[in-house]
């Protein structure tokens, strides 16, 4: 083998799932804990989440939403009210049954042990999602059409007992935001569902450099209790799909179950139309799988915990302080610049470590721009610029003043490069398929990518195909999405159809 | 009765606890939920919390801390490791014992019910605080003295099963931040404990206009498992104390229980010295009780969800649009001004409601400055300014341009007024007490205020006095706090002492 040495082993090509774990470890993003399926999000990973939160939160507020906070624990009686919803989450609910601990002596070992005590008359579940408990509040708050629309968002932790957890992508506890809104009419609620779906699509593209396919879920794949589920589907580098965010029109299902009713303009009592929509820490997993390479994490600049890291090169003691001062001065100047409305995040790595070790650490952590400054550079007023979207060996020497002027533009270029690369990859790996034989054969391939087909099958037929090939319809892409043209006959039934389905394997 | 009519009934003097509930309701801050002891924090209340978070978070980052996130659920085995800690929280732990629900038909009613299923081999408790689970991570992360100090903060929800819940002050679930740090030496850990204690004192004074007494808790009142607990104690308007924040030096208690050990500079393996410190949504309850009046909430400007509300006065249809435009233009201009580094938060209330109704709503919500603009004011370029720290009937007409220039200063004046008022009230209600007879008699009074005494009693003696009068030693104030001079003999034992204790009733 003459393969180039990479910082992450195995490489993506060798073992994608294991590569993913190793990137998380090398970038120090998160780790497993002894709480089953729950992760510890470490500072470098949590910093990404804080940026996602800030930037999404601005979008939510700009579209008229307000934040609020609702209880972690949901009375079982609430969940039971919407049968389909309850059934959808029943197999993954953490249940609180006691409200204290009691110390007892183990008769065998003699050791003191804590056991649950104070059994609750009615158990609670830890929220897997909050439609039911927020709906109960909405029922109290809404009386008249004048109280509508009610536009609420919550930032919270939720819990779903996952049997096969995977850091960021599928954890028992995760952090998310859940929007919950109530409206006077179906039209307004559907407009809201589409508006937030559009916000997610834009956010993923413009902040995370991830080009998603927006579309609608089929009935089989809908959120339990929803009339319509919109999704944004990302393709990652093993050609699998990640559902990166969803926006649901819940019809009057929850409002009828929970009596969110109001006196309308005509004086009659009506049930509100509700929506819910959410994205989670899963987006961090999506970023990793979409952009990272065999040297580690590659962060899109807008959500990079640090955007620029400055490495002082200090070979000699007598010029050391001057180099450090120059680095700090450059950092201060850069922090007064901004990219996409936020001050640049710049870090000077002053640790007394080997320069190569430090450099590789920041490569693995995915910092968009690395700057090196040595004694000679101070005299020549130059800086050595290295970009995470280019090969590790590439470097440009740049006038310091020119770099200061261009720093924000370079971050923009990196963003655009990541987006263009991911878009090209996605488009290469979506294949039009008009006949069933090709469809069946496709899923025998290794890392098969997505198929785009005319579709008129029933939910049952969809399920048969899904189970047979371990695939799902990721979505029925919405109008206006540029996908290749297909024929008009359903691959399965042969019936004429205008519906197009996007099939793939997924996380 | 010739009492003035007030917006809140009862008044503070009539029934302080009920007044508190009514202020929360009138300001639309929060409400009880059907989850026992858990509240819903509504947008106006959550907005205050968001500002507290942002501003505290900047202080934590400026003092070198990084945010991270740890699991909600703590294995029982973790809690058992530090016996004193486990015992301290055992009676208020919510326990998760099952991980799914099962639908069963009730044989009597025929209805389907959900019951807990999938019993866990080892139950979990919902974190009442995270020393144990964060300590387990620290044990993995720390190997050498080079990994120290480790300075971590977490923003999270926690749960303590409270028997007598009260909105914001004592709820089963609450939101907080918990700092957790590990250090090489005792001295460094104590420095950190004091540093964060000082940050809390400053934050309460400079952001919330609450003048706290900083001090140390006695052994009886310490955090379970701590060697030293520092506290900031606020006096509210019924002269009770609220513990508004605490900072603990945990010694090596947790590091020994959890094996947070490192190889020291001398090559020996040592246990780290740890600290923890936290403040919570309880601060919102403290703000309400410290500053509000019989007309409702009074918000300190830095954490006011809106700082300025502009009310268009539109008596006639033909000038209506011009007034609305003038209000929006003023709001835009003001939003470009800043107060204490943050852009002014300005809202124009354009709702088509009676002007008096709108005005009283903002009074009850505690907005620091209300502005009215009517048709005549447009011509004269004046605005009518009303301040929440002044009587409702008071108003000043001001040149619009002058107001724009002064808006930030006025917010500063309001802050200073609230702080001065609260400081004077506190100082009036701390009484020096040098003899036991006066001490005993004091607690027979209604709303007795605090006593400041020389103290050399034992923990047992402290407990006897505490139980007898339903009081506690709030703290042993630290040096440098300006409190009146006292004699040198312990009020109980008569022994010479330099220790001074501050006694009071508390929430």
């Amino acid at each position: 083998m003459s393969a180039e040495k990479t910082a992450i082993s195995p490489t993506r090509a060798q073992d994608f799932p294991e590569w993913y774990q190793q990137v998380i470890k090398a970038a120090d993003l998160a780790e497993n804990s002894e709480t089953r399926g729950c992760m510890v999000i470490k500072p470098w990973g949590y910093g990404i989440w804080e940026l996602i939160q800030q930037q999404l939160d601005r979008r939510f507020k700009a579209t008229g939403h307000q934040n609020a906070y609702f209880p972690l624990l949901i009375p079982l009686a609430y969940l039971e009210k919407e049968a389909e919803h309850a059934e959808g989450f029943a197999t993954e609910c953490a249940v609180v049954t006691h409200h204290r601990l009691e110390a007892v002596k183990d008769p065998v070992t003699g050791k003191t042990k804590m056991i649950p005590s104070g059994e609750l008359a009615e158990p609670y579940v830890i929220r897997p999602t909050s439609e039911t408990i927020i709906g109960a509040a909405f029922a109290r708050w809404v009386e008249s059409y004048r109280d509508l629309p009610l536009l609420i968002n919550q930032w919270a932790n939720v819990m779903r007992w996952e049997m096969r957890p995977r850091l960021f992508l599928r954890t028992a506890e995760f952090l998310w935001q859940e929007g919950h809104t109530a409206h006077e009419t179906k039209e307004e609620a559907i407009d809201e569902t589409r508006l937030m779906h559009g916000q997610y699509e834009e956010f993923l593209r413009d902040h995370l450099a991830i080009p998603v396919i927006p579309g609608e879920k089929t009935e089989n794949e809908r959120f339990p209790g929803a009339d319509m589920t919109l999704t944004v589907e990302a393709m990652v580098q093993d050609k699998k799909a990640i559902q990166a965010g969803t926006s649901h029109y819940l019809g009057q299902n929850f409002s009828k179950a929970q009596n969110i009713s109001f006196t309308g303009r005509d004086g009659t009592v009506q049930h509100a139309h509700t929506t819910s929509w959410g994205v989670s820490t899963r987006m961090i997993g999506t970023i990793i799988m979409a952009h990272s390479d065999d040297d580690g994490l590659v962060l899109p600049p807008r959500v990079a915990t640090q955007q620029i890291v400055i490495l002082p090169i200090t070979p000699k003691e007598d010029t050391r302080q001057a180099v450090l001062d120059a680095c700090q001065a450059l950092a201060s100047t850069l922090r007064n610049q901004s990219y996409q409305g936020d001050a640049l995040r710049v870090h000077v790595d002053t640790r007394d470590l080997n320069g190569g070790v430090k450099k590789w650490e920041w490569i693995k952590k995915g910092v968009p721009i690395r700057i090196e400054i040595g004694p000679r550079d101070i005299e020549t007023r130059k800086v050595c610029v290295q970009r995470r979207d280019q090969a590790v060996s590439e470097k440009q020497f740049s006038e310091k003043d020119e770099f200061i002027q261009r720093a924000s533009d370079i971050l923009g270029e990196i963003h655009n490069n990541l987006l263009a690369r991911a878009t090209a990859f996605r488009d290469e790996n979506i294949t039009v398929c008009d006949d069933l034989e090709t469809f069946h054969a496709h899923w025998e391939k290794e890392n098969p990518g997505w198929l785009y087909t005319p579709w008129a099958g029933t939910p049952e037929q969809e399920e048969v195909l899904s189970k047979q090939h371990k695939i799902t319809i990721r979505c029925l892409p919405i109008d206006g999405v540029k996908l290749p043209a297909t024929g008009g006959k359903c691959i399965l039934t042969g019936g004429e159809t205008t519906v197009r389905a996007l099939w793939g394997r997924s996380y």
Side-chain angles (χ1 to χ4, degrees), chain A residues 209-223:
Chain A
I210 296 175
V212 293
I213 301 280
E216 185 176 343
K217 288 286 184 188
T218 59
E219 192 186 322
N220 287 6
E221 301 292 327
R222 256 180 225 150
F223 178 76

Side-chain angles (χ1 to χ4, degrees), chain A residues 162-385:
Chain A
E162 290 289 351
M163 282 305 147
R164 291 169 299 119
R166 189 192 296 264
L167 289 170
F168 290 116
L169 288 179
R170 201 175 281 280
T171 48
E173 183 189 13
F174 56 92
L175 304 181
W176 79 345
Q177 61 68 217
E178 45 181 326
H180 294 271
T181 69
H183 305 263
E184 209 179 328
T185 65
K186 176 174 176 174
E187 290 65 36
E188 282 179 30
I190 287 180
D191 283 350
E192 166 80 9
T193 310
R194 294 196 195 288
L195 173 71
M196 301 321 289
H197 184 229
Q199 288 290 320
Y200 290 153
E201 187 195 350
E202 276 179 37
F203 180 78
L204 278 143
R205 183 189 62 216
D206 297 344
H207 298 243
L208 310 186
I210 296 175
V212 293
I213 301 280
E216 185 176 343
K217 288 286 184 188
T218 59
E219 192 186 322
N220 287 6
E221 301 292 327
R222 256 180 225 150
F223 178 76
D227 279 2
M228 172 175 87
T229 287
L230 302 179
T231 179
V232 287
E233 298 285 326
M235 181 185 284
V236 292
Q237 296 177 76
D238 63 351
K239 306 177 196 167
K240 280 192 183 173
I242 296 181
Q243 176 182 304
T246 47
S247 183
H248 316 292
Y249 167 59
L250 304 173
Q252 295 179 310
N253 304 328
F254 285 86
S255 67
K256 283 184 178 162
Q258 303 184 286
N259 202 27
I260 309 174
S261 63
F262 63 95
T263 306
R265 287 168 203 270
D266 61 1
T268 64
V269 174
Q270 302 166 27
H271 285 100
H273 294 259
T274 67
T275 84
S276 67
W277 29 275
V279 296
S280 73
T281 36
R282 166 166 254 229
M283 283 207 293
I284 298 176
T286 313
I287 292 171
I288 301 168
M289 285 198 170
H291 297 308
S292 298
D293 63 22
D294 295 337
D295 287 327
L297 186 64
V298 176
L299 280 173
R302 286 185 84 166
V303 297
T305 311
Q306 300 292 351
Q307 293 166 321
I308 302 175
V309 165
I310 303 176
L311 298 160
I313 308 295
T314 53
K316 290 185 193 156
E317 198 48 48
D318 62 340
T319 50
R320 187 181 148 79
Q321 195 55 49
V323 169
L324 288 176
D325 291 347
C327 290
Q328 296 291 6
L330 176 60
S332 296
T333 308
L334 287 169
R335 288 186 191 116
N336 289 326
Q337 307 285 315
S338 70
Y339 171 58
Q340 296 281 1
D342 288 312
L344 295 190
R345 296 181 289 278
V346 185
H347 177 71
V348 183
D349 185 352
T350 56
R351 290 173 305 166
D352 195 10
L353 282 176
N354 172 292
V357 170
K358 292 209 285 192
K359 171 178 157 171
W360 275 100
E361 198 176 284
W362 296 114
I363 291 170
K364 288 186 281 184
K365 280 177 172 288
V367 170
I369 300 176
R370 302 183 306 279
I371 297 292
E372 288 180 355
I373 299 183
R376 256 182 55 86
D377 304 319
I378 300 180
E379 289 162 35
T380 58
R381 296 192 58 79
K382 292 210 167 178
V383 294
C384 171
V385 182

Side-chain angles (χ1 to χ4, degrees), chain A residues 62-84:
Chain A
T63 45
H65 302 85
Q66 291 185 297
N67 289 331
Y69 189 77
F70 300 84
L72 171 72
L73 300 184
I74 299 181
L76 270 193
Y78 279 15
L79 216 62
E80 287 162 358
K81 281 184 186 168
E82 221 290 335
E84 201 181 311

Side-chain angles (χ1 to χ4, degrees), chain A residues 35 122 131 213 235 272 397 487:
Chain A
T35 303
E122 289 291 337
E131 278 73 10
I213 301 280
M235 181 185 284
F397 285 89

